[in-house]
Amino acid sequence: MNAEVRLMKNMLEANDQVAANNRDFFASQDMLVLNLIGSPGAGKTTLLLATLDQIDDYNVAVLQGDIETNIDAQRVAQTGTPVLQLNTHGACHLDARLVQQGFQEMSITPDILFIENIGNLVCPAQFDLGETAKVVVVSVTEGDDKPYKYPATFHCAGAVIITKLDLLEHTDFSIDRFLDGFRAVNKVAPCFPVSARTGQGLRPWLAWLKEQCSKVKTEAV
Amino acid sequence: MHEAALALSLLSIVLKEAETVGANRVLSITVQAGEYAAINEYALTFAWEIAAKGTAAAGAQLLLQAYPGSRDLIIESMEVQK
Ligand SMILES: Nc1nc2c(ncn2[C@@H]2O[C@H](COP(=O)(O)OP(=O)(O)OP(=O)(O)O)[C@@H](O)[C@H]2O)c(=O)[nH]1
Ligand SMILES: [Mg+2]
């Protein structure tokens, strides 16, 4: 006998349940948790280092995702910020369980936790880690067509950073064309053009960061 | 790109549900695939065929329905043989 069984189940439920637990825990600790997503070499770690340099009045920790090596964790460790490297050994994204385990291993509760995801503009967007917001990092050398080509990732961004602005004049990147594509899939998230190398444009990004931090704390009461 | 991980997750949910309802075979599965779920139907079907091999869901057909404006992947229903 054949029968139809109605399920209406989230295919990613195993990950999403752990992510929901992470999110509840982070909220209970008034933590701002940002999931940094961008292509390989977009400039995620460099942006992170430039940011850490400017927010020494906050307790910050970093979970550093890479397929292999602890190169990026070492770069972060040089700033004195607590950091733990997460290696996925091939997987194209971090998942909620890796973050849960990594965070437990660090056994600290910072004001801000940065999670640098695997260099990839597609898969990380699909896996909720329990973060407060996703921050998508894109560089001017990648071209201004990225929101058109990777709409899913830009759709779920809580903020977007266009980095390597110091190289703008050497490229044909148009910030207007980028924004047109970005606004087509995301009407609300702010966009910050910066150079992590020169520090240009960092101030609005840092202001947003601090604003999010106080938001998390007031929402908790 | 992560369709293999999705296929395995789909398989574990489907097999568990099939057991709960006392089905001995799964014939087809309908999935609502959000526009922003970044799912490639070809890659998912391919990964699914391999993942389901040797299980009660072997050979089950995957039916993907596109859902605009969403990033969700919802397993809507399945047809089973009891
Ligand atoms: N000119 C310039 N170069 C930059 C800037 N930001 C990063 N870079 C360079 O871009 C390269 C990649 O930077 P990373 O910060 O390692 O990039 P990433 O996104 O962390 O890379 P993965 O972790 O491997 O995915 C390095 O050589 C950086 O020095 C910038 O604002 N301006
Ligand atoms: Mg990096």
Side-chain angles (χ1 to χ4, degrees), chain B residues 25-50:
Chain B
R25 260 194 76 198
V26 180
L27 304 172
S28 70
I29 302 156
T30 305
V31 172
Q32 302 176 358
E35 173 188 1
Y36 297 117
I39 279 310
N40 177 288
E41 181 167 358
Y42 171 78
L44 182 61
T45 305
F46 185 59
W48 167 252
E49 282 167 9
I50 295 169

Side-chain angles (χ1 to χ4, degrees), chain A residues 39-46 48 64-66 71-73 75 116-117 119:
Chain A
S39 323
K44 298 177 290 299
T45 310
T46 309
L48 194 52
Q64 181 61 56
D66 279 294
I71 294 174
D72 279 355
R75 291 165 71 193
E116 181 179 333
N117 218 310

Side-chain angles (χ1 to χ4, degrees), chain A residues 5 7 9-11 13, chain B residues 6-23 25-31 48 52 55-58 60-62 75-80:
Chain A
V5 182
L7 297 171
K9 279 198 162 240
N10 176 358
M11 210 196 291
E13 81 178 354
Chain B
L6 288 175
L8 288 173
S9 170
L10 175 63
L11 182 67
S12 91
I13 294 170
V14 161
L15 290 181
K16 204 163 83 191
E17 293 294 332
E19 202 184 311
T20 310
V21 300
R25 260 194 76 198
V26 180
L27 304 172
S28 70
I29 302 156
T30 305
V31 172
W48 167 252
T55 73
Q61 205 188 346
L62 263 194
I75 311 168
E76 186 186 278
S77 61
M78 62 182 184
E79 202 190 344
V80 299

Side-chain angles (χ1 to χ4, degrees), chain A residues 197-215:
Chain A
R197 176 73 52 90
T198 67
Q200 183 192 353
L202 279 181
R203 205 172 292 163
W205 151 244
L206 295 169
W208 181 84
L209 200 60
K210 291 177 183 183
E211 187 189 306
Q212 299 308 306
C213 228
S214 28
K215 227 187 199 168

